[in-house]
Amino acid sequence: MKINRVVSYALLCALGLLGSCEEKKAPQQAFAFPPSAVSVITTVAEPLPITNDLPGRIAPTRISEVRPRVSGIVIQRVFQQGSMVKEGDVLYRIDPEPFKVQVASAEATLARARASQLQARQQADRQREMKKSNVTSAQAVEDAVANLAIADADVAAAEAGLSSAKLNLQYADVTAPISGRIGRAQITEGALVSGNGTENLATIQQLDPVYADFTQPAADLIRLRKALESGGVMSPKGDAPVRLMLDDGSIYEHPGKLLFSEATVDATTGQVTLRGQFPNPEGDLLPGMYVRVLIEQGVEKNAIAVPQQAVQRDSAGKAQVYVVAADNTAQIRPVVVARAVDDRWVISEGLKPGEKVVVEGFQKIGPGAKVVPSEWKADKAGKTAAEKTADAK
């Protein structure tokens, strides 16, 4: 019985040794991942606009403070606060009775002056006739002519006094000097106003169109001017296109135009002030509103741009892209991002025309990895074929 056990143990050991020998003889097979499929774009040099995003504020094109031209008691406020008014609309009424009395007095003074004028004219005519018959002296004729001249002057003064009285009566109705939106009333009925005072009854602002005053560093303007002179940048055709971006990030629907830029630089900030004009038919733009002004100041002739999703950031925050080499290996490439044009980044350094930049699939590759590149295409909605397949699922 012990002999059988010994034999069985010997057989098991022999089989174990034989198995280990066969394992050593079997070749080891290493597992290799197939190359990853990636979508790429081929860089090309193309003319792209140089659009700057600058901070600005909305200002009215015209602003007027409503002031009285005559003194008196305000008896009525006619306008609705915050409403639109037109030039010439009556805003306040000052008590007109004192001015009506002045008009009546001026009319009476004019009538008396005209009566004296008539009398002096008749006297002068009579003296001239008498002089022809040598009945009166030359001195009497001269005195009559002088009296007529004085009477004419009195009539002219009386007519001016009447015009002034009528003008004061007209000014008793305080009217809007410009068309626009009027603010709150600064006084109420019963207030005493003075034609020589400084009180402001209300303020009117013209808000269609409006101005957008914005600033740009003087260094940027100098750099752009040098680029224009060197030929690397072209001037935009016609007027420089100007758009507005509102606080919520939306683009204001009405484009504007650049009016001018200041000829001086602010000594405290180093900024140059520019002004654009924008239509405001819906009244969405209000004075003092903060906006971002998008202004096209040139066209870069040979710019290179890639989709924004192709640009990655390293741990230090520096921009980089994957470039597919000639042997279909992915290489990491640091780049310098200059600006955005629509949904693309303009690359100022790091890329040249004809290179293949990975747009999709870089999440599953690393530097030096083998890839299978295919041309990246986006549909009209901005989605790739892979994204549309994912949406369908």
Side-chain angles (χ1 to χ4, degrees):
M1 198 67 181
K2 292 181 179 179
I3 296 175
N4 292 336
R5 289 180 179 176
V6 172
V7 173
S8 299
Y9 179 76
L11 289 173
L12 289 174
C13 291
L15 290 173
L17 291 173
L18 181 62
S20 63
C21 291
E22 290 179 354
E23 287 180 358
K24 290 182 179 179
K25 293 180 181 179
Q28 295 181 352
Q29 296 180 355
F31 180 78
F33 288 99
S36 300
V38 295
S39 298
V40 300
I41 59 107
T42 303
T43 57
V44 294
E46 56 182 319
L48 291 176
I50 300 175
T51 302
N52 289 311
D53 183 350
L54 305 173
R57 295 276 182 186
I58 298 298
T61 50
R62 299 172 70 190
I63 183 169
S64 175
E65 294 182 344
V66 180
R67 299 182 184 274
R69 297 190 180 186
V70 294
S71 302
I73 301 296
V74 176
I75 61 174
Q76 185 181 9
R77 174 175 61 84
V78 181
F79 68 93
Q80 182 71 29
Q81 300 179 85
S83 64
M84 297 296 297
V85 297
K86 294 182 179 180
E87 181 179 353
D89 286 352
V90 177
L91 305 178
Y92 291 95
R93 286 195 171 95
I94 298 174
D95 185 6
E97 296 304 322
F99 306 108
K100 292 179 179 179
V101 173
Q102 292 177 9
V103 170
S105 176
E107 289 176 343
T109 301
L110 177 59
R112 181 173 181 176
R114 284 176 176 171
S116 299
Q117 180 189 43
L118 177 60
Q119 182 180 14
R121 182 178 294 110
Q122 292 173 346
Q123 184 67 24
D125 292 341
R126 187 179 301 111
Q127 290 294 329
R128 290 190 186 97
E129 292 296 328
M130 293 172 65
K131 183 65 175 65
K132 291 179 182 179
S133 304
N134 293 324
V135 176
T136 187
S137 64
Q139 183 63 44
V141 175
E142 293 174 358
D143 291 343
V145 172
N147 290 333
L148 176 59
I150 294 173
D152 292 339
D154 290 342
V155 170
E159 289 176 344
L162 178 59
S163 298
S164 177
K166 289 182 177 180
L167 195 59
N168 288 337
L169 178 59
Q170 179 182 342
Y171 287 160
D173 287 340
V174 182
T175 59
I178 62 173
S179 299
R181 185 178 297 278
I182 192 167
R184 65 181 182 273
Q186 301 289 349
I187 64 168
T188 59
E189 292 83 353
L192 174 64
V193 295
S194 173
N196 299 322
T198 59
E199 65 262 46
N200 175 25
L201 308 186
T203 300
I204 301 175
Q205 300 181 96
Q206 184 174 325
L207 303 179
D208 187 20
V210 294
Y211 291 140
D213 294 330
F214 53 101
T215 57
Q216 183 175 20
D220 290 353
L221 287 176
I222 295 174
R223 191 181 305 112
L224 179 61
R225 187 177 295 112
K226 289 182 178 179
L228 289 170
E229 293 173 354
S230 65
V233 174
M234 300 180 296
S235 299
K237 296 181 180 179
D239 296 333
V242 186
R243 301 300 298 265
L244 286 183
M245 181 185 293
L246 304 180
D247 278 342
D248 59 358
S250 62
I251 300 298
Y252 184 61
E253 60 178 327
H254 301 290
K257 61 180 179 179
L258 180 66
L259 296 182
F260 69 88
S261 61
E262 291 283 3
T264 58
V265 179
D266 190 326
T268 59
T269 62
Q271 305 275 333
V272 178
T273 300
L274 300 92
R275 169 169 283 183
Q277 180 174 297
F278 294 84
N280 190 27
E282 294 84 13
D284 295 332
L285 303 178
L286 300 176
M289 180 183 291
Y290 175 79
V291 293
R292 304 291 299 183
V293 181
L294 308 177
I295 176 171
E296 183 180 324
Q297 295 181 300
V299 178
E300 187 176 355
K301 291 182 179 179
N302 298 309
I304 294 177
V306 298
Q308 292 186 1
Q309 66 192 69
V311 178
Q312 307 299 309
R313 297 283 176 177
D314 61 12
S315 58
K318 295 181 179 180
Q320 58 186 13
V321 297
Y322 275 104
V323 178
V324 178
D327 58 353
N328 284 343
T329 58
Q331 304 295 335
I332 201 74
R333 180 84 60 82
V335 295
V336 176
V337 176
R339 64 185 187 278
V341 176
D342 297 328
D343 58 349
R344 297 190 296 169
W345 290 119
V346 176
I347 306 300
S348 59
E349 296 180 17
L351 291 177
K352 59 184 179 180
E355 293 189 298
K356 295 181 179 180
V357 177
V358 177
V359 179
E360 285 184 343
F362 47 76
Q363 298 89 347
K364 52 188 176 182
I365 63 175
K370 283 284 186 178
V371 296
V372 179
S374 61
E375 196 67 22
W376 179 81
K377 293 182 179 179
D379 61 12
K380 294 182 179 180
K383 293 186 177 181
T384 62
E387 290 174 335
K388 290 189 291 183
T389 302
D391 291 344
K393 294 180 179 179

